[in-house]
């Protein structure tokens, strides 16, 4: 059954144990995962195949250009004529430079995260491409100034924060990114095709010694510039309510606000932008009551906030550079 016809079913304890182990180490051998779950390796393989067949669970691997200081990332809001939202969102999701595409409550707009080589390319994209799509009546953009947290820092299975989240909470800068050369990029490209590719196969594909491949991979995985992870849709893990929030925070209170927000496990994406609102983020929740409790508790603690805006995602068309499976599907 193709992924776009498959919908998630509730996961059992074994499923969650397998996902927890692979979330902590996406390249963990099945024998190690099986020992943790107390089942046979074949059971782990079958469970994982069953979950990945839905499209709601997958392995991803990519370098993070914001941490490498490459190109420009922008949040684009696209307002469409009535009846044109779905087709326009699909058109944006098909673009390779669109990393995420979604529609949220409030003004019926499409939100897309776009990565462009430079500001001139971004302007051309907005004016000559997105602005000319049928049904588009308005386009607004905000450039990402600083990336604080990504979906790799959302750890629903762990109480311990990632190193990146810990640094943001403590107000510490990220370490300088490692130098990334052409061989590293080729390695990441192969991992993007198969994140669990063995080191021996990586070495063969790269035409280098296995020791070189292992050393390169270890160096990248130890850094924050490579996001190699088991990606599972929040709804699949029991967090079906996803929120998008924007805050206008006084510059003098900005660091305090972001440190408090980063302390919240529900926040899975956080960054600073240009525009009338300078803090933007996403959070995941078990239900709307949880979202309400989060916004009233967390936002009330933030000093220097002039405005807040929260919207619930109604449909996600693309996430982590990969189109999302359509609703209405079942596990095979």
């Amino acid at each position: 059954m193709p992924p776009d016809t498959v919908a998630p079913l509730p996961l059992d304890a074994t499923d969650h144990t397998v996902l927890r182990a692979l979330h902590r180490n996406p390249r963990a051998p099945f024998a190690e995962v099986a020992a943790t779950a107390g089942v046979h390796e074949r059971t782990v393989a079958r469970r994982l195949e069953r979950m990945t067949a839905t499209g709601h669970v997958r392995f991803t691997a990519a370098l993070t250009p914001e941490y490498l200081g490459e190109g420009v990332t922008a949040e684009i809001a696209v307002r469409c004529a009535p009846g044109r939202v779905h087709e326009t969102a699909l058109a944006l999701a098909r673009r390779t430079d669109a990393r995420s595409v979604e529609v949220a409550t409030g003004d019926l707009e499409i939100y897309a995260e776009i990565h462009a080589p430079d500001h001139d390319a971004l302007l051309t994209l907005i004016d000559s491409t997105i602005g000319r799509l049928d049904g588009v009546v308005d386009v607004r953009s905000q450039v990402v100034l600083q990336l604080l947290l990504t979906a790799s820092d959302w750890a629903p299975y762990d109480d311990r924060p990632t190193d990146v989240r810990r640094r943001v909470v403590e107000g510490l800068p990220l370490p300088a990114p490692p130098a990334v050369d052409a061989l590293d990029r080729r390695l990441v490209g192969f991992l993007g095709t198969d994140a669990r590719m063995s080191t021996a196969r990586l070495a063969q594909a790269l035409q280098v010694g296995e020791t070189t491949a292992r050393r390169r991979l270890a160096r990248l995985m130890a850094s924050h510039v490579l996001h190699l992870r088991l990606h599972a849709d929040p709804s699949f893990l029991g967090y079906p309510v996803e929120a998008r929030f924007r805050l206008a925070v006084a510059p003098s209170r900005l660091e305090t606000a972001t440190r408090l927000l980063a302390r919240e496990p529900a926040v899975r994406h956080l960054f600073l932008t240009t525009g009338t609102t300078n803090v933007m983020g996403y959070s995941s929740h078990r239900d709307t009551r949880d979202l309400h409790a989060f916004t009233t508790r967390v936002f009330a603690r933030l000093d220097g906030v002039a405005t807040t805006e929260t919207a619930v995602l109604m449909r996600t068309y693309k996430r982590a550079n990969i189109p999302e499976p359509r609703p209405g599907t079942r596990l095979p």
Side-chain angles (χ1 to χ4, degrees), residues 65 111 138 144 154 167 203 296:
Y111 299 103
D138 187 38
V144 174
W154 184 62
R167 286 176 175 272
T296 53

Side-chain angles (χ1 to χ4, degrees), residues 266-295:
V267 175
R268 62 176 175 82
H269 199 178
L270 187 65
F271 46 98
L272 307 182
T273 72
T274 60
T276 54
T277 54
N278 52 357
V279 177
M280 190 176 296
Y282 290 79
S283 58
S284 298
H285 307 273
R286 294 197 179 277
D287 50 40
T288 52
R289 289 176 298 180
D290 181 34
L291 170 60
H292 176 65
F294 167 81
T295 56

Side-chain angles (χ1 to χ4, degrees), residues 30 53 65-66 70 85 104 146 160 170 177 198 225 235 239 272 285 302 321 324 329:
F30 281 165
E66 292 90 342
E70 299 175 347
V85 170
Q146 185 178 2
R160 185 176 61 188
E170 295 177 3
S198 69
V225 301
S235 60
Y239 298 84
L272 307 182
H285 307 273
L302 303 179
N321 286 314
E324 287 288 283
T329 57

Side-chain angles (χ1 to χ4, degrees), residues 1-10 50-57 233 235-236 324-332:
M1 186 178 293
D4 64 354
T5 62
V6 183
L9 287 177
R50 174 175 173 266
M51 290 185 283
T52 55
T54 70
H56 295 275
V57 173
D233 291 353
S235 60
F236 198 71
E324 287 288 283
R326 298 178 202 166
T329 57
R330 299 183 67 79
L331 287 170

Side-chain angles (χ1 to χ4, degrees), residues 11-312:
L11 305 179
D12 63 19
T14 300
D15 292 327
H16 280 292
T17 302
V18 169
L19 290 176
R20 181 183 298 112
L22 291 171
H23 178 270
R24 291 171 178 165
N25 180 7
R27 292 176 56 81
F30 281 165
E32 180 182 314
V33 178
T36 301
V39 297
H40 196 277
E41 288 181 52
R42 289 196 296 270
T43 300
V44 172
R46 284 198 304 269
R47 292 295 183 113
L48 184 60
E49 182 180 8
R50 174 175 173 266
M51 290 185 283
T52 55
T54 70
H56 295 275
V57 173
R58 53 188 178 265
F59 293 94
T60 63
L63 294 172
T64 308
E66 292 90 342
Y67 290 149
L68 290 170
E70 299 175 347
V72 56
T73 302
E75 293 292 315
I76 308 294
V78 181
R79 187 160 58 88
C80 301
R84 300 296 304 179
V85 170
H86 180 63
E87 290 79 4
T88 305
L90 287 175
L92 288 172
R94 285 192 287 267
R95 296 190 56 86
T96 57
D97 50 12
R99 298 195 298 198
S100 67
V101 178
E102 66 228 4
V103 177
T105 55
D107 294 335
L108 197 55
E109 294 180 325
I110 302 165
Y111 299 103
E113 183 181 85
I114 301 288
H115 187 75
D118 51 43
H119 291 93
D120 185 65
L122 177 62
L123 175 59
T124 300
L125 172 65
I126 293 172
D127 185 50
S128 302
T129 303
I130 298 177
R132 295 184 181 183
L133 291 174
D134 289 341
V136 171
V137 298
D138 187 38
V139 182
R140 291 178 288 111
S141 63
Q142 293 177 262
V143 170
V144 174
L145 298 175
Q146 185 178 2
L147 179 61
L148 299 173
L149 300 177
T150 73
S152 292
D153 299 304
W154 184 62
Y157 288 120
D158 295 306
D159 294 330
R160 185 176 61 188
T162 64
D163 183 61
V164 170
R165 186 183 289 268
R166 179 186 62 79
R167 286 176 175 272
V168 176
V169 168
E170 295 177 3
L172 300 174
L174 291 177
V180 175
D181 61 18
L183 182 60
D184 292 324
R185 294 179 191 276
R186 288 180 57 215
L187 186 152
V188 174
F190 286 120
L191 291 176
T193 303
D194 180 5
R196 290 178 54 81
M197 181 183 291
S198 69
T199 307
R201 285 180 56 209
L202 268 176
Q204 184 178 25
L206 293 168
Q207 296 182 321
V208 299
E210 191 169 338
T211 300
T212 298
R214 183 179 294 108
R215 186 176 64 249
R216 293 275 184 147
L217 177 59
R219 181 173 60 86
L220 288 171
M221 290 189 67
S223 76
H224 58 290
V225 301
L226 173 63
H227 283 177
L228 192 158
R229 65 190 179 102
L230 176 73
H231 168 85
D233 291 353
S235 60
F236 198 71
L237 301 181
Y239 298 84
V241 177
E242 296 183 75
R244 182 179 194 271
F245 60 84
R246 303 195 310 176
L247 312 174
V249 182
S252 62
R253 306 301 297 168
L254 195 55
E255 181 180 346
T256 300
T258 54
R259 290 176 63 179
L260 286 172
L261 288 167
R263 191 174 288 122
E264 294 295 326
V267 175
R268 62 176 175 82
H269 199 178
L270 187 65
F271 46 98
L272 307 182
T273 72
T274 60
T276 54
T277 54
N278 52 357
V279 177
M280 190 176 296
Y282 290 79
S283 58
S284 298
H285 307 273
R286 294 197 179 277
D287 50 40
T288 52
R289 289 176 298 180
D290 181 34
L291 170 60
H292 176 65
F294 167 81
T295 56
T296 53
R297 175 178 57 83
V298 176
F299 293 167
R301 292 165 48 204
L302 303 179
D303 293 331
V305 177
T307 62
T308 65
E309 178 184 324
T310 306
V312 173

